Amino acid sequence: MTPGRRSSTFTRLLRHGFTDASAAERLLDSPELAAVRDDPVLLEALGATADPDLALHGLVRLLEAQPGPTAHRELLDTLIAAKPLRDRLLGVLGASAALADHLARHPRDWEALVTYEPRDLHPGVAEFERGLAEADDPVGLRVAYRRCLLSIAARDVCGTTDVAETAAELADLATATLRAALALAERAAPEDAADCRLAVIAMGKCGGHELNYVSDVDVIFVGEAAAGADEAKALRAATKLASHMMRICSETTVEGSIWPVDANLRPEGRNGPLVRTLSSHLAYYQRWAKTWEFQALLKARPVAGDRELGQEYIDALEPLVWKAAERENFVADVQQMRRRVVENIPVAQIDRELKLGPGGLRDVEFAVQLLQLVHGRADATIRSGTTLVALQALAAGGYVGRADATQLDDAYRFLRSMEHRIQLYRLRRTHLVPEDQADLRRLGRSLGLRTDPETELIREWKRHTGVVRRLHEKLFYRPLLDAVAQLATGEARLSPKAARERLEALGYADPAAALRHLEALASGVTRKAAIQRTLLPVLLGWFADSADPDAGLLNFRKVSDALGKTPWYLRLLRDEGAAAENLARVLSAGRLAPDLLMRAPEAVALLGDSDGARDGGGPGGGLEPREHAQLEREILAAVGRADNAEDGVRAARGVRRRELFRTAAADIVDSYGTETNPAEADQGALVDRVGGAVSDLTAATLAGTLRAVVRDGWGDTLPTRFTIIGMGRFGGHELGYGSDADVLFVHEPWEGVAEREAADAANKVVSEMRRLLQIPSADPPLLIDADLRPEGKSGPLVRTFKSYEAYYRRWSLVWESQALLRAEPVAGDEELGRRFIELVDPLRYPAEGLGEDAVREIRRLKARMESERLPRGADPKLHTKLGPGGLSDVEWTVQLLQLRHGWAEPGLRTTRTREALAAACAAGLLGAEEASILDEAWVLATRVRNAVMLVRGRAGDTFPPESRELAAVGRYLGYGDGHAGDMLDAYRRTARRARVVVEELFYGA
């Protein structure tokens, strides 16, 4: 061979995918290939394989093994002339060193790949039985098995069958092999065969018709006595046959083994008898079986032995499988099993584990099986033992989103293809992705990745495992499942009669109306109705956990009517974590949150996961409160896009409505708790969260309204500096859902602007702000209360900074100093707001504290307020604001401490009641127990007021008289049905204890 030719061949080999071109050249120059070495067809075919070097080496070995020149020539002629054989044979040789070894030992088995007829493309059990029929001993069975496996692998690597079809063929070959092995065992012991009936039940992947190339074949044996035989003797005979059948398949011979037959899924596992009677199986599963054993039975399928007995086994146990989801803690058990599998993977292997690792095959299988067991009780269409078939049925039934099912199907097929090709190489049982570059290259090329096989393979593998992990978490841990699993049989899908029975049992006040809502929601054959039928049984239970389930269901219908045609709504409830339960809690907890939601139903997206429940679901997905700066930016941006002040304020009020819903929904969910997250134990944290969120939202709304009014009337600059000072609960960051915004308006004319012009502008701004924030609309109004200004309602609504300065210097009363303890700038000119605070600090924190005359005046004002302002007919002991131990008692006590000691204790210089109380305790001004009593009373009273607003949709300072509303307040506060009296007693007790502390600290008793 000339150097030039060698160089040309070498280059061609590299171009065709050979990695060791020198070795390939030597093989092509070998005598076995002399007749075809220059045939371009051969080189092209070798280059198309997963590993051209491996394929060429295997071909040379096969040619060397041919029994004579005639056989050698026949193979070469057929190889060049027949493309189907060429693709099949070289494809197998390039993908499987183990099958190349088999062909070298049995050089005529290549002829099994020659036939290419329709019936050979998708063989079943009967065809494989014919292929194994001549085997008359375990060694012969192994050879025949490998010959059949050779044809399966050829169809697989050539793309004639997809991964699901290949897995089904492998399962069919396993079935035929088990039958052949049992026949050999029976032939060896005909007396035993005559004494018993033995059925072989395939489990696991074999039972599910989705076997790997190399896998344990899981089985369960069922035995009965033959007619006239003794049962004990029959079971011994059946056990001998079963044991012999297992050895025939599992033992290593000169031809290796076929695969291990594993009977450990039987009752009691290794500790239990290998063969049981049907009645013994049934008794075990009825009394002792664990959750995982029912999950395993999903794939049970009779495959060998007595067919009638095998079917009797399936018929007897199938009803128990579909009752398994009713077992206590069923879903939690299955989830824990999956976690244990992952936890038991060696750390060094977890990143390479294709089957058991996170995002692996088992994640898909577990998720599908759990969904089947939960929903398959009432829907026989999803009971397939084959993962991909079951997944398709789950999608068709509305239990899994179609897009999710498609992604899972794609990922599962890719991962199973990887698993198949990894095992096919050596025919060894492994689920680990190789680390060697050559192995990765061959694996990538076998899957059609040819440009950069290693890199592309790893990228695709990680992409698919990422998809599986994301969807597995969404499906497998979906809280809906746990609730559906706790329903009685038949309730996972509702018939009208069952619905009425359940509604009555759950305590719906008007079952007829509720049933009409259900029929409107769930009737029909649309996908929307199918998903509703899946959701409703669970939602009804969650509604019933509230004080007003009828309202919850009615509100759900309203929301569904408003959003039913949007593609994301039902998908959100079905797929996004706790969204469905959150919505159920919110819709049945009272009037406020549903009213806010009905005005803009798309806000239901906030109830999904915190990373955003849907694409375009609005700023800040989830129920976490948003920061003041975020809110103000959004509102100012919305105002900036508006054409006029009215449109700008309308946009600001729309944001406020949405955020009020977010706050109320979070408050309800945290107060009620969910089935996965218990109710928030820290009541003070709940109060602070609501107070901070509503106060920040009010401040941002005022800032946006101010911007809109100024821009509409004066352009960029008002003739006067203007700031808004929050007062009362607003300044203290303690606003409730129904609170007005207590404020002071301060302005200061710009240099060169006449005071009259500045005053007129400031008054117009205030007047327009109040008007725009109260215009009747779908959004709740925001009432501005300026009654805490100097001279109260008799004084001017807006004052200049100098006017405030002069008034406070000459006329300020002690109650005004007390009111200024809560003063804090909330919107407008920041520098002017800061100067105002500097102006009032000496008034609210007077040097050396309050004099005795001022203290007596405050006490007198407090006593008069208690006697004059309490509503007629109200029970003082249950009035949260003015009653003994209520908000007023605690706040006036804390404020007196601030007025007397704020000058000396920096910690008291805060607008927030609880912070000031904690600072007073830290300074030794009251004991820890006293501080705790006052804090508990203040928090409880605030919670009651929030609850009343959430339940009734309007503000109130007393417990509602209507029993259902009172029960709803109790549920919000953590009291179950029938415990409203306990709630009232607890409030009276808490308030009474607080009043004792107030008497001592405030009145000096």
Side-chain angles (χ1 to χ4, degrees):
M1 184 180 296
T2 65
R5 181 183 168 212
R6 174 179 175 81
S7 176
S8 173
T9 304
F10 190 89
T11 303
R12 287 170 58 213
L13 290 170
L14 290 177
R15 190 170 65 248
H16 280 92
F18 288 85
T19 56
D20 190 347
S22 297
E25 272 191 301
R26 289 193 296 273
L27 289 173
L28 286 170
D29 287 336
S30 65
E32 284 73 24
L33 289 175
V36 295
R37 69 163 56 95
D38 294 322
D39 195 315
V41 169
L42 176 62
L43 199 57
E44 289 288 341
L46 287 168
T49 65
D51 187 337
D53 300 87
L54 184 67
L56 178 58
H57 184 260
L59 178 60
V60 171
R61 290 180 63 206
L62 176 58
L63 289 165
E64 289 173 340
Q66 294 305 305
T70 301
H72 182 280
R73 188 168 53 254
E74 180 187 356
L75 171 57
L76 275 183
D77 289 347
T78 309
L79 184 72
I80 298 302
K83 186 178 189 305
L85 171 72
R86 186 167 62 247
D87 291 343
R88 286 178 165 194
L89 178 58
L90 295 183
V92 168
L93 293 174
S96 179
L99 288 177
D101 291 342
H102 172 82
L103 284 169
R105 290 195 307 272
H106 304 279
R108 300 301 296 179
D109 277 6
W110 67 268
E111 294 172 2
L113 304 179
V114 173
T115 307
Y116 196 78
E117 298 176 2
R119 65 186 176 86
D120 298 304
L121 298 184
H122 301 290
V125 176
E127 286 77 18
F128 288 125
E129 284 187 299
R130 283 196 293 272
L132 302 177
E134 296 180 6
D136 54 6
D137 60 36
V139 173
L141 184 60
R142 281 153 176 71
V143 175
Y145 174 83
R146 288 284 194 281
R147 189 181 304 120
C148 292
L149 192 66
L150 186 66
S151 65
I152 292 175
R155 286 187 292 274
D156 178 16
V157 299
C158 292
T160 306
T161 55
D162 65 19
V163 66
E165 292 169 328
T166 300
E169 288 186 13
L170 289 166
D172 286 341
L173 175 57
T175 296
T177 305
L178 289 170
R179 291 177 183 178
L182 182 57
L184 289 175
E186 290 174 338
R187 197 179 310 159
E191 302 85 359
D192 289 336
D195 283 340
C196 68
R197 300 168 63 202
L198 177 64
V200 183
I201 311 298
M203 305 287 284
K205 281 187 160 51
C206 183
H209 228 68
E210 51 189 14
L211 197 61
N212 299 327
Y213 276 104
V214 186
S215 173
D216 291 357
V217 171
D218 296 310
V219 299
I220 286 177
F221 296 106
V222 189
E224 294 287 351
D230 175 70
E231 184 177 289
K233 182 181 178 183
L235 283 177
R236 287 194 296 273
T239 301
K240 290 179 186 176
L241 290 175
S243 298
H244 192 188
M245 187 202 82
M246 292 173 68
R247 290 196 303 275
I248 289 172
C249 296
S250 305
E251 286 183 346
T252 301
T253 69
V254 292
E255 287 291 339
S257 68
I258 301 176
W259 18 246
V261 177
D262 189 342
N264 289 334
L265 291 178
R266 67 186 184 270
E268 300 181 78
R270 290 181 179 146
N271 298 321
L274 183 63
V275 183
R276 288 176 183 258
T277 63
L278 177 56
S279 60
S280 176
H281 275 285
L282 193 58
Y284 174 84
Y285 283 105
Q286 287 172 334
R287 297 189 62 189
W288 309 112
K290 297 180 176 63
T291 296
W292 69 264
E293 293 176 280
F294 292 106
Q295 185 179 1
L297 285 172
L298 273 172
K299 296 184 178 296
R301 179 172 64 95
V303 291
D306 192 303
R307 310 285 177 84
E308 184 179 344
L309 178 58
Q311 192 57 49
E312 288 175 7
Y313 174 89
I314 298 298
D315 293 342
L317 291 184
E318 189 174 38
L320 300 182
V321 173
W322 303 113
K323 292 180 181 178
E326 298 166 20
R327 294 162 59 90
E328 186 176 358
N329 299 322
F330 162 76
V331 174
D333 285 349
V334 178
Q335 292 172 347
Q336 182 57 37
M337 280 165 39
R338 175 69 191 97
R339 285 191 288 268
R340 274 200 301 271
V341 168
V342 175
E343 289 164 2
N344 290 333
I345 301 172
V347 175
Q349 296 181 358
I350 194 165
D351 290 335
R352 297 168 51 218
E353 177 60 61
L354 195 63
K355 177 180 178 181
L356 303 178
L361 293 162
R362 187 57 59 86
D363 274 352
V364 181
E365 293 159 0
F366 262 62
V368 168
Q369 290 164 23
L370 180 58
L371 286 163
Q372 284 181 282
L373 287 172
V374 171
H375 296 297
R377 290 174 292 165
D379 188 347
T381 66
I382 62 172
R383 294 181 180 178
S384 172
T386 306
T387 300
L388 292 178
V389 174
L391 180 59
Q392 185 178 14
L394 286 165
Y399 305 103
V400 176
R402 282 172 289 193
D404 291 347
T406 299
Q407 289 186 69
L408 276 178
D409 185 283
D410 290 345
Y412 190 76
R413 287 175 183 273
F414 183 84
L415 296 175
R416 283 301 301 271
S417 296
M418 282 185 68
E419 182 183 46
H420 278 187
R421 302 301 165 78
I422 290 169
Q423 294 182 350
L424 182 59
Y425 176 51
R426 292 288 186 193
L427 286 182
R428 290 177 182 166
R429 183 171 180 258
T430 179
H431 309 288
L432 294 179
V433 177
E435 295 178 296
D436 181 76
Q437 289 298 307
D439 290 334
L440 289 172
R441 181 176 184 273
R442 181 181 56 257
L443 179 57
R445 283 175 59 91
S446 77
L447 296 173
L449 308 173
R450 298 300 172 95
T451 305
D452 184 359
E454 300 101 306
T455 303
E456 291 178 63
L457 174 68
I458 297 300
R459 183 174 63 244
E460 285 297 292
W461 171 40
K462 295 300 182 184
R463 180 176 71 82
H464 284 296
T465 55
V467 167
V468 171
R469 193 65 194 149
R470 175 177 61 82
L471 295 177
H472 169 262
E473 288 168 350
K474 186 160 72 170
L475 298 175
F476 189 70
Y477 295 102
R478 196 165 71 209
L480 279 176
L481 296 180
D482 202 25
V484 175
Q486 293 166 10
L487 300 175
T489 302
E491 288 183 342
R493 284 293 187 87
L494 300 176
S495 68
K497 181 180 178 183
R500 183 182 290 276
E501 290 173 351
R502 175 157 186 179
L503 289 167
E504 292 172 351
L506 289 172
Y508 281 76
D510 188 350
L515 188 55
R516 287 195 298 273
H517 299 323
L518 290 180
E519 290 169 348
L521 289 163
S523 61
V525 294
T526 64
R527 181 175 175 80
K528 170 186 169 184
I531 297 174
Q532 289 280 24
R533 285 194 293 270
T534 302
L535 292 169
L536 278 167
V538 189
L539 290 169
L540 288 173
W542 284 327
F543 292 147
D545 192 36
S546 72
D548 195 351
D550 297 82
L553 181 55
L554 172 61
N555 290 331
F556 179 67
R557 179 179 177 184
K558 290 179 180 178
V559 174
S560 295
D561 286 347
L563 294 177
K565 293 183 180 179
T566 58
W568 56 267
Y569 168 61
L570 290 175
R571 187 171 69 234
L572 166 78
L573 299 186
R574 185 191 60 205
D575 297 342
E576 291 293 341
E581 185 176 4
N582 289 345
L583 180 62
R585 301 301 185 202
V586 167
L587 293 180
S588 56
R591 296 179 182 175
L592 178 65
D595 285 350
L596 292 169
L597 181 59
M598 298 309 169
R599 291 167 183 173
E602 67 275 5
V604 76
L606 300 175
L607 299 171
D609 294 333
S610 59
D611 59 350
R614 66 179 177 93
D615 293 339
L623 296 179
E624 286 298 314
R626 300 176 67 205
E627 299 290 335
H628 174 264
Q630 286 180 291
L631 294 168
E632 187 168 302
R633 278 197 302 272
E634 182 185 358
I635 288 176
L636 290 177
V639 167
R641 292 189 295 269
D643 293 331
N644 53 58
E646 190 162 322
D647 289 346
V649 175
R650 185 181 299 112
R653 290 175 66 182
V655 174
R656 177 172 177 264
R657 183 247 319 125
R658 184 195 71 214
E659 296 302 320
L660 278 175
F661 172 74
R662 189 199 304 267
T663 303
D667 189 19
I668 291 166
V669 170
D670 289 341
S671 298
Y672 272 56
T674 65
E675 297 187 359
T676 54
N677 296 306
E680 172 65 67
D682 186 350
Q683 303 292 298
L686 290 172
V687 164
D688 291 344
R689 208 171 299 155
V690 172
V694 177
S695 299
D696 285 346
L697 178 56
T698 302
T701 304
L702 290 179
T705 304
L706 176 60
R707 172 75 62 85
V709 170
V710 170
R711 190 189 64 177
D712 209 39
W714 293 271
D716 293 332
T717 307
L718 194 65
T720 183
R721 286 182 166 186
F722 188 90
T723 194
I724 304 173
I725 308 297
M727 300 288 286
R729 291 187 170 277
F730 186 16
H733 297 260
E734 297 162 358
L735 284 179
Y737 298 112
S739 301
D740 296 347
D742 291 321
V743 299
L744 300 177
F745 295 110
V746 186
H747 80 101
E748 183 177 64
W750 290 104
E751 187 174 348
V753 176
E755 286 205 11
R756 172 52 59 191
E757 180 187 355
D760 288 346
N763 277 286
K764 285 180 182 177
V765 166
V766 172
S767 176
E768 188 66 0
M769 285 182 67
R770 297 178 82 178
R771 183 186 73 82
L772 292 173
L773 288 170
Q774 296 179 49
I775 290 177
S777 75
D779 301 311
L782 174 55
L783 303 179
I784 298 176
D785 188 340
D787 289 352
L788 291 176
R789 64 188 184 270
E791 302 179 77
K793 293 180 181 179
S794 303
L797 197 59
V798 189
R799 286 178 181 262
T800 64
F801 180 83
K802 289 184 177 179
S803 175
Y804 276 104
E805 187 177 36
Y807 176 86
Y808 287 138
R809 184 172 61 248
R810 297 187 60 191
W811 309 110
S812 177
L813 301 175
V814 67
W815 73 265
E816 291 175 303
S817 294
Q818 183 182 353
L820 288 169
L821 286 167
R822 316 294 290 277
E824 181 173 292
V826 294
D829 190 293
E830 292 182 7
E831 199 273 334
L832 182 58
R834 181 186 57 76
R835 286 168 52 208
F836 182 86
I837 295 303
E838 291 174 354
L839 169 68
V840 301
D841 270 350
L843 293 172
R844 55 184 181 175
Y845 310 124
E848 306 302 325
L850 285 183
E852 285 304 314
D853 289 344
V855 171
R856 281 194 294 272
E857 176 64 12
I858 287 177
R859 288 171 176 164
R860 186 185 66 78
L861 289 171
K862 175 74 169 69
R864 191 179 77 183
M865 183 181 68
E866 289 176 8
S867 62
E868 294 179 0
R869 294 181 59 188
L870 194 69
R872 182 177 299 176
D875 182 351
K877 295 180 181 178
L878 293 176
H879 198 281
T880 59
K881 183 175 181 180
L882 301 176
L887 294 170
S888 176
D889 266 4
V890 177
E891 290 167 1
W892 282 58
T893 300
V894 171
Q895 289 161 14
L896 183 58
L897 292 172
Q898 289 179 285
L899 288 165
R900 299 181 77 173
H901 303 283
W903 66 279
E905 294 294 340
L908 290 173
R909 298 170 203 163
T910 175
T911 63
R912 307 179 188 218
T913 301
R914 297 189 71 211
E915 281 188 11
L917 182 58
C921 179
L925 301 177
L926 76 166
E929 183 179 1
E930 294 170 317
S932 176
I933 289 171
L934 292 179
D935 185 70
E936 181 185 2
W938 188 88
V939 167
L940 178 57
T942 304
R943 290 270 291 157
V944 171
R945 293 179 94 204
N946 285 344
V948 170
M949 184 65 187
L950 286 170
V951 169
R952 305 185 74 187
R954 60 181 187 273
D957 294 318
T958 61
F959 290 88
E962 199 272 323
S963 60
R964 180 156 284 199
E965 291 180 345
L966 185 63
V969 170
R971 185 67 184 82
Y972 172 84
L973 295 176
Y975 293 88
D977 290 342
H979 290 277
D982 295 338
M983 171 183 66
L984 298 177
D985 288 344
Y987 180 83
R988 292 188 187 99
R989 185 167 55 251
T990 301
R992 187 167 58 246
R993 293 174 66 211
R995 181 65 181 191
V996 172
V997 176
V998 170
E999 294 279 359
E1000 179 182 347
L1001 293 178
F1002 185 81
Y1003 291 108

